[in-house]
Amino acid sequence: MSDNDPIVFPSGWTRLRALTPARIALGRAGTSLPTAPHLEFQFAHARARKAVHLSLDREALAAELADAGLGTLLLDSAAESRAVYLQRPDLGRQLSAASRERLHDAAIGPVDLALVVGDGLSATAIAANAVPFLRVLLPSVVARRLTMAPVAIVSQARVAVGDEIGAGFGARMVVVLIGERPGLSSPDSMGIYLTYAPRPGLTDEARNCISNVRAAGLSYPEAAHKLMFLMDESFRRGLSGVQLKDEAETLALDGAGPGRNFLLPEA
């Protein structure tokens, strides 16, 4: 190799990297990745692993929600540690005995909506996104005069734990905000799950999901618009899940826009 030969060979697709966060067109150094993208990959992998194992600061989150005018209830799933949670998904779908009693004591009678915030597989996502998203969502909830239970903040949570909480509060609907499985370019992605008439034993086809809610993904206003559309339709039709389609974008293109609203059925 002469002194003029390049050490790193760029890819012919380099210009496409500006269009996606995916790891494409990284070039090569011999038969390997160049040092810079290799180190970036290792950093992204470490950041994703940290997001899985990081604990949620529930007290700080409760204080932020209080500033937003929301009462809270701190609960735990039946998974007693992070290691158990990762090995036993079934335990993350149910409350511990102590939390079940706490939920019973906090129940205030039938309500329209129960909000659940769970760490899931990324406490980082919840710490970054839950409160900013709820600040965008709440004016629409208030405008619809929906009654709400205290926000349940759950450690070692899986999505289905919201069904038990919603049923315990006597809620017509439960909305779960939870940290999604971290990706190498998205360790802070939050998912939103809506279930009408929540009760233990429901499976995933009974829920609607909005995913990738974060600063670099689906924006808070867009996610709130999608969720309110699904909530309005869910209350109107008395169902959720596979029978309820997200047509929010279609309606917006047709001119219905975010202001579209449906009357709630008589309680």
Side-chain angles (χ1 to χ4, degrees):
M1 177 181 293
S2 71
D3 292 340
N4 294 325
D5 289 333
I7 297 175
V8 175
F9 295 87
S11 167
W13 291 5
T14 300
R15 66 184 183 279
L16 297 180
R17 293 180 62 187
L19 305 177
T20 174
R23 286 177 169 77
I24 64 169
L26 301 179
R28 62 182 177 86
T31 60
S32 302
L33 279 176
T35 299
H38 176 67
L39 293 176
E40 289 169 0
F41 176 86
Q42 289 185 313
F43 174 72
H45 186 260
R47 189 172 57 173
R49 287 177 59 88
K50 180 180 179 181
V52 170
H53 293 281
L54 193 67
S55 297
L56 178 64
D57 188 340
R58 297 190 301 176
E59 288 72 20
L61 180 58
E64 289 186 76
L65 290 172
D67 289 341
L70 295 170
T72 55
L73 179 66
L74 304 187
L75 301 173
D76 301 285
S77 78
E80 60 189 20
S81 68
R82 197 63 174 172
V84 171
Y85 169 82
L86 294 173
Q87 296 171 30
R88 292 285 306 274
D90 58 312
L91 295 181
R93 300 184 184 116
Q94 54 188 292
L95 292 174
S96 67
S99 289
R100 195 170 290 125
E101 292 181 9
R102 201 174 307 136
L103 174 64
H104 180 269
D105 293 340
I108 57 176
V111 294
D112 294 316
L113 177 64
L115 288 174
V116 176
V117 180
D119 49 5
L121 288 167
S122 176
T124 300
I126 292 302
N129 300 303
V131 174
F133 169 75
L134 288 174
R135 288 187 182 276
V136 174
L137 178 72
L138 283 175
S140 296
V141 173
V142 172
R144 286 159 173 77
R145 300 181 181 178
L146 299 178
T147 56
M148 291 178 56
V151 179
I153 303 176
V154 190
S155 290
Q156 319 300 0
R158 301 279 178 174
V159 173
V161 76
D163 297 334
E164 182 176 0
I165 294 169
F169 276 130
R172 297 169 61 201
M173 176 186 294
V174 64
V175 171
V176 178
L177 312 184
I178 196 164
E180 295 184 313
R181 186 185 304 277
L184 291 178
S185 61
S186 56
D188 58 345
S189 180
M190 183 177 75
I192 304 170
Y193 292 82
L194 174 152
T195 308
Y196 185 82
R199 59 192 183 279
L202 293 178
T203 49
D204 287 343
E205 93 286 345
R207 314 182 219 287
N208 292 88
C209 175
I210 301 169
S211 63
N212 195 33
V213 181
R214 60 192 182 103
L218 187 67
S219 72
Y220 304 140
E222 289 175 306
H225 172 54
K226 285 177 173 288
L227 179 58
M228 288 312 309
F229 171 84
L230 290 171
M231 288 175 62
D232 284 341
E233 280 289 83
S234 181
F235 278 126
R236 185 175 73 89
R237 299 172 59 187
L239 53 81
S240 62
V242 295
Q243 299 180 75
L244 180 61
K245 305 302 181 185
D246 179 6
E247 298 175 323
E249 292 182 1
T250 301
L251 291 171
L253 290 174
D254 289 342
R260 179 182 173 95
N261 186 20
F262 297 98
L263 293 177
L264 301 180
E266 295 295 331

